[in-house]
Amino acid sequence: SAITCTAAAPPDSTAPTPGWRCSHGSLVPPPAPPELLPLEEGGRSIVIQWPVVVHAAAYTVELFEERSAAVERFHRTVPENLTEALVELRVVNLQPGSYGASVRCVAPCGCESAPSGWSFLPPAWMMAPPPLPSGWQPGMPPQGAGAATPGFPPPPTALLSTSPGPPRAPVE
């Protein structure tokens, strides 16, 4: 289990230490916010990646599932001869939903940094478009609807919307 340290002032000084140095003197800057990418079409696997923090011995990743508000913590040790610029964590067997992640550095002494910002992967990457009703063809109004069907076809921005709530008409 990682220890979360706070910055402490040196014994003979009134100046506080920076927030990226723990009470043991180790460097523990917060990492950059991670990037979340889908690994497969079914949406059951994602990769979380972030830039390397030079003095980190390990990382703690918090994965947030929006629907259940569950947070799961993963510990990722830094390989000894890491030459890559990005660290990644692959998470598989996920339930469909929207996920967010935040990362903390772990110093060699075990102290954790402040968390990175949160990054989110919206649920749109997991869902296939719904099937068209029988008799419909892409770009054509349904039989009997005629050419005067208001709002048909819907504007492309509404079809591509990832914002919560009903689609809105584009602003012109």
Side-chain angles (χ1 to χ4, degrees), residues 6-171:
T6 57
D12 296 330
S13 171
T14 58
T17 59
W20 42 262
R21 189 177 297 277
C22 76
S23 60
H24 302 106
S26 294
L27 299 177
V28 286
E35 180 179 29
L36 282 73
L37 302 168
L39 281 178
E40 61 183 49
E41 287 294 318
R44 299 202 39 135
S45 301
I46 61 174
V47 63
I48 304 165
Q49 60 184 20
W50 62 94
V52 168
V53 176
V54 176
H55 299 283
Y59 298 93
T60 299
V61 179
E62 292 181 327
L63 182 65
F64 171 75
E65 198 276 315
E66 190 174 2
R67 187 177 345 148
S68 67
V71 176
E72 191 166 350
R73 288 175 61 102
F74 297 93
H75 190 75
R76 172 77 161 80
T77 304
V78 176
E80 228 174 89
N81 296 322
L82 181 67
T83 59
E84 302 295 321
L86 294 175
V87 181
E88 70 177 35
L89 175 71
R90 294 171 185 256
V91 184
V92 298
N93 295 326
L94 295 170
Q95 295 298 315
S98 180
Y99 288 88
S102 178
V103 181
R104 295 174 186 258
C105 289
V106 180
C109 63
C111 294
E112 285 187 349
S113 72
S116 70
W118 284 87
S119 296
F120 290 88
L121 185 63
W125 65 272
M126 296 183 294
M127 299 186 299
L132 292 173
S134 65
W136 282 42
Q137 294 178 9
M140 299 294 294
Q143 289 181 341
T149 304
F152 192 87
T157 53
L159 295 174
L160 300 175
S161 174
T162 57
S163 62
R168 290 177 263 154
V171 178

